[in-house]
């Protein structure tokens, strides 16, 4: 399928480089001609050199802010204000839990929050349609088996390397899941990809969305190709969200 592609140091910096030389640099060539003077030598420094700064530096480095994937998702990404995570078995909770296992990998490699939003949306798509029952799956399976092909999904690999995902650079522009054994329903979080997604194909899958469950389509404002045939999308007439698509 062809997709249109896009501490400052706490030590002083002025320590002397070597100690003062207090021993003679040359040995005397002979016995002194007269008794040595009893006076104290005059070349001993009268003041001990100051080797420490007069005060502690005031500009200690500040600690890096703690970034929490959970905090970012809940405040900036979650569609229902975080209420969707109250159920630990929801596909949203499973997606968030998976992301949190990757915290060390993601936080320093992503351009937050856009890339995190993208990865969360795709995780929701996976957990909502992989081996999930709906009222139509019973005609085909006792237990839905999962996708036919799911290479690299829900792994540390960049999401642009996941099966069926197309990208321009690091931005997801297409989802191609033709006949791939999807079940359950397509989640509204797909709408989080609305600014970049141009191609969405779930043709020939047992996904069931009805009524307002199709509203996410209206968030895909950059969409150019939409394939919903041979699925169980239901709506009385044409879904209102499709009417908001301009391309």
């Amino acid at each position: 399928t062809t997709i249109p592609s896009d501490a400052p140091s706490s030590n002083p910096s002025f320590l002397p480089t070597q100690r003062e030389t207090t021993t003679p640099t040359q040995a005397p060539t002979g016995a002194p001609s007269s008794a040595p003077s009893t006076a104290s030598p005059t070349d001993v420094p009268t003041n001990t050199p100051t080797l420490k700064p007069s005060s502690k530096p005031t500009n200690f480095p500040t600690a890096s802010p703690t970034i929490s994937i959970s905090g970012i998702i809940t405040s900036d990404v979650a569609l229902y204000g975080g209420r969707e995570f109250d159920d630990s078995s929801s596909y949203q909770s499973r997606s968030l839990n998976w992301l949190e296992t990757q915290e060390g990998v993601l936080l320093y490699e992503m351009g937050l929050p856009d890339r995190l939003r993208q990865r969360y949306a795709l995780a929701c798509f996976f957990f909502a349609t992989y081996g999930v029952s709906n009222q139509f799956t019973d005609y085909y399976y006792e237990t839905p088996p999962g996708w036919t092909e799911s290479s690299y999904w829900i792994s540390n690999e960049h999401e642009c390397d996941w099966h069926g995902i197309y990208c321009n650079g690091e931005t997801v522009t297409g989802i191609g899941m033709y006949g791939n054994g999807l079940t359950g329903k397509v989640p509204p979080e797909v709408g989080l990809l609305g600014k970049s997604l141009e191609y969405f194909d779930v043709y020939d899958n047992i996904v069931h969305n009805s009524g307002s469950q199709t509203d996410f389509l209206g968030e895909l404002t950059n969409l150019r190709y939409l394939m919903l045939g041979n699925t169980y999308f239901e709506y009385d007439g044409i879904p209102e969200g499709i009417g908001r698509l301009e391309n």
Side-chain angles (χ1 to χ4, degrees), residues 62-120:
T62 56
S64 300
T66 300
I67 304 174
S68 162
I69 283 182
S70 178
I72 294 170
I73 294 293
T74 301
S75 62
D76 298 333
V77 180
L79 299 182
Y80 305 103
R83 296 188 302 277
E84 57 264 60
F85 307 123
D86 292 343
D87 178 0
S88 61
S89 65
S90 69
Y91 67 82
Q92 295 101 328
S93 289
R94 295 175 70 190
S95 301
L96 179 58
N97 289 341
W98 169 69
L99 283 172
E100 287 180 322
T101 67
Q102 297 194 302
E103 193 147 7
V105 175
L106 297 176
L107 290 179
Y108 302 102
E109 293 184 359
M110 288 188 170
L112 296 173
D114 289 345
R115 171 115 188 267
L116 184 56
R117 175 191 302 266
Q118 173 173 282
R119 205 161 171 91
Y120 173 72

Side-chain angles (χ1 to χ4, degrees), residues 30-85:
S33 59
S34 59
S37 170
T38 59
S40 300
T42 59
D43 58 344
V44 176
T46 57
N47 293 306
T48 302
T50 300
L51 300 180
K52 296 182 179 180
S54 58
S55 62
K56 295 181 179 180
T58 57
N59 56 339
F60 287 106
T62 56
S64 300
T66 300
I67 304 174
S68 162
I69 283 182
S70 178
I72 294 170
I73 294 293
T74 301
S75 62
D76 298 333
V77 180
L79 299 182
Y80 305 103
R83 296 188 302 277
E84 57 264 60
F85 307 123

Side-chain angles (χ1 to χ4, degrees), residues 56-240:
K56 295 181 179 180
T58 57
N59 56 339
F60 287 106
T62 56
S64 300
T66 300
I67 304 174
S68 162
I69 283 182
S70 178
I72 294 170
I73 294 293
T74 301
S75 62
D76 298 333
V77 180
L79 299 182
Y80 305 103
R83 296 188 302 277
E84 57 264 60
F85 307 123
D86 292 343
D87 178 0
S88 61
S89 65
S90 69
Y91 67 82
Q92 295 101 328
S93 289
R94 295 175 70 190
S95 301
L96 179 58
N97 289 341
W98 169 69
L99 283 172
E100 287 180 322
T101 67
Q102 297 194 302
E103 193 147 7
V105 175
L106 297 176
L107 290 179
Y108 302 102
E109 293 184 359
M110 288 188 170
L112 296 173
D114 289 345
R115 171 115 188 267
L116 184 56
R117 175 191 302 266
Q118 173 173 282
R119 205 161 171 91
Y120 173 72
L122 292 176
C124 285
F125 179 73
F126 177 85
F127 285 115
T129 63
Y130 187 96
V132 179
S133 298
N134 60 39
Q135 69 184 74
F136 295 99
T137 56
D138 292 342
Y139 292 107
Y140 301 92
Y141 311 107
E142 182 176 345
T143 302
W147 294 3
T148 303
E149 178 61 68
S150 58
S151 298
Y152 299 119
W153 278 78
I154 312 305
S155 73
N156 287 346
E157 297 297 323
H158 195 291
E159 55 272 23
C160 291
D161 294 327
W162 296 358
H163 171 77
I165 296 301
Y166 305 92
C167 293
N168 180 2
E170 294 192 342
T171 301
V172 172
T173 57
I175 299 176
M177 290 289 155
Y178 179 97
N180 200 38
L182 279 62
T183 56
K185 69 176 181 179
V186 178
E189 283 79 9
V190 170
L192 294 171
L193 304 173
K195 293 182 179 180
S196 65
L197 201 67
E198 300 178 7
Y199 176 89
F200 185 59
D201 180 5
V202 291
Y203 188 96
D204 196 19
N205 288 282
I206 311 174
V207 286
H208 178 221
N209 289 58
S210 62
S212 62
Q213 294 174 350
T214 65
D215 287 351
F216 75 91
L217 293 171
E219 302 299 320
L220 306 178
T221 54
N222 205 37
L223 201 66
R224 300 177 61 191
Y225 304 95
L226 176 63
M227 290 78 167
L228 299 177
N230 204 23
T231 65
Y232 292 89
F233 270 69
E234 293 183 288
Y235 197 85
D236 185 12
I238 298 175
E240 293 180 4

